[in-house]
Amino acid sequence: MCGIVGYIGNQDAKEVLLQGLEKLEYRGYDSAGIFVMNTSGEGNLFKEKGRIKELRQEVKQDAQGTAGIGHTRWATHGVPSAMNAHPHQSENGRFSLVHNGVIENYRELKEAYLQDVTFHSETDTEVIVHLIAKFTEEGLETFDAFKKVVQLLKGSYALGLADREQPEKVFAAKNKSPLLVGVGEDFNVLCSDAMAMIRYTDQFMELMDGELVVLTDTAVHIEDVDGNVKERVPYTAELDANDIEKGTYPYYMLKEIDEQPGVIRQLVQNYQGKNGELEIDEEIIQAMLASDRIYVIAAGTSNHAGWIGKQLLEKIAGIPVEVHVASEFSYNMPLLTEKPFFIYISQSGETADSRAVLVKTNEMNYPSLAITNVAGSTLSRESDYTLLLHAGPEIAVASTKAYTAQIGVLAILADVLGRAKGKTPEFDMIHDLGIVANAMDVVIDEKETMEEIARLYLSKTRSAFYIGRAMDYYVSMEAALKLKEISYIQTEGFAAGELKHGTIALIEEGVPVVALITNAETAGHTRGNIEEVRSRGAATVVVSMEGLNREGDQIVLPEINPLLSALVSVIPTQLLAYYATLHRGYDVDKPRNLAKSVTVE
Ligand code: M6R
């Protein structure tokens, strides 16, 4: 949530900052701003409600500068507005500051130190810049004042600071929120995500919690709050600039849906050992086998992938699994077994709700595994082990390829665990994942059908349902989330058999109900449930798997191993969400009120 950038060098700072912010827009897009200054310390501040393209129109071309900071916002404190947009400035205009995170004690700090100061925004951030100004006015050097302020802060922050009296420097600090330094020749940059600056450099340094940084055009000085200087060797970001472009696609979501068969094939390759079998680090396997229960912690789509993972791990490896919503688990922890093992599933690896649980389970010394798309992300760093999704950057807010990659990794993990326990596999996972990838291709080729179904059933409706049983129920939850988050249709994902216990009262003439049928054992019952809603006026759409299909089913999926069916049955639901949103005229990639990476609890 919120993206920040900073630049110091000899190029046109405003262009670097704006381009960087465009790449970070997935982190928040309700308002944005930049501050640029020239070598004499003359500065220009631009802030605008809305997206970066709106900010761009405000930025004056003659606002030349060689240093600056920028921010794209997802509002936490105060409405989206130009006033609440960052950077925030000190009263004398000397300091400008951008912030990603939440300052929990900002009211107390305001009360204790800043009673005489006039605030111009409703944000928690503004207090920081006024405190820095106050401590410099009391005689501290900027860096020392900055250090003193961060020691007073409670909460999460990635900060970028510009001081007009030191235009040859940009300052930064980090706690809990992600922040990287990008190193170039004769320039250095700051960014929340390497994606923002990959067109300028592929050399990045990770900052740790509690560290502060001073950037000049040729040097990076890192220090912790106790004054210990830190040496840091840059790593090469393995990010292809093309991966973060849409190319010929109208939206990232469609590109990412299309990438899924390739992601599954790539995953198999990445986890295939020299002997041709799927392999996972022996240490991870032993740690998991030593546990008596797996607890999966995740949010949103990742949580839905966890439910599929539960089926896979229990059925293939015979290990009991509980799946929990991260934000609930954190403050409402169930009674744990004696030897729990925690799996954190997160595309971004930055989700604050999941991290809050990880902090607690680390304190309790429980082993943990992060399943994430982002190497070096917070959850990956703070967990004992990591398994990567290798899905490439996912930019659309609506998660698609990360979901299928998460299920892919969980399937591979279940397969390796099962074999490590001495179980004879009931099927060849590599072979069956290959069939899955081919089946995904077949469904993706049916875009015209999906578009037509979306037009007929979803372009006007106010509400909709997805129903299914077992695996199909778990996919229904994900399908409903996808549809509601981008098309704004109120959608519920429901256990098909549970409808008649109350919710069926909502079914009236024309309400779309999409039923998923991929499992022989439950197919008959789900068919019965379809009849129940149809006879009450529902406009039903049936997605069935070959072999279980009946005449009139609108979408028939190729036959695959039922344990892996989620990987294929989710695809029509992603496409239905995509086309429904297009028909309703909304921005597919950037739905209202949301951000890609949810870094506040
Ligand atoms: O980065 P994470 O996987 O931890 O994110 C968790 C959720 O915020 C995320 O899956 C969200 O539900 C998606 N935008 C839904 O499409």
Side-chain angles (χ1 to χ4, degrees), residues 298-303 345-351 354 379 396-400 402 406 478 481-482 485 594-598:
T301 289
S302 298
N303 178 272
I345 307 180
S346 172
Q347 187 283 132
S348 62
E350 300 296 343
T351 298
S354 301
L379 289 177
V397 165
S399 185
T400 53
Q406 287 162 347
E478 171 56 11
L481 175 60
K482 214 79 321 164
E485 74 171 322
L594 290 173
K596 181 74 179 160
S597 170
V598 185

Side-chain angles (χ1 to χ4, degrees), residues 437-451:
N438 294 343
M440 285 172 146
D441 277 326
V442 171
V443 180
I444 286 169
D445 281 348
E446 290 296 316
K447 287 199 183 78
E448 278 175 23
T449 311
M450 309 301 166
E451 176 164 18

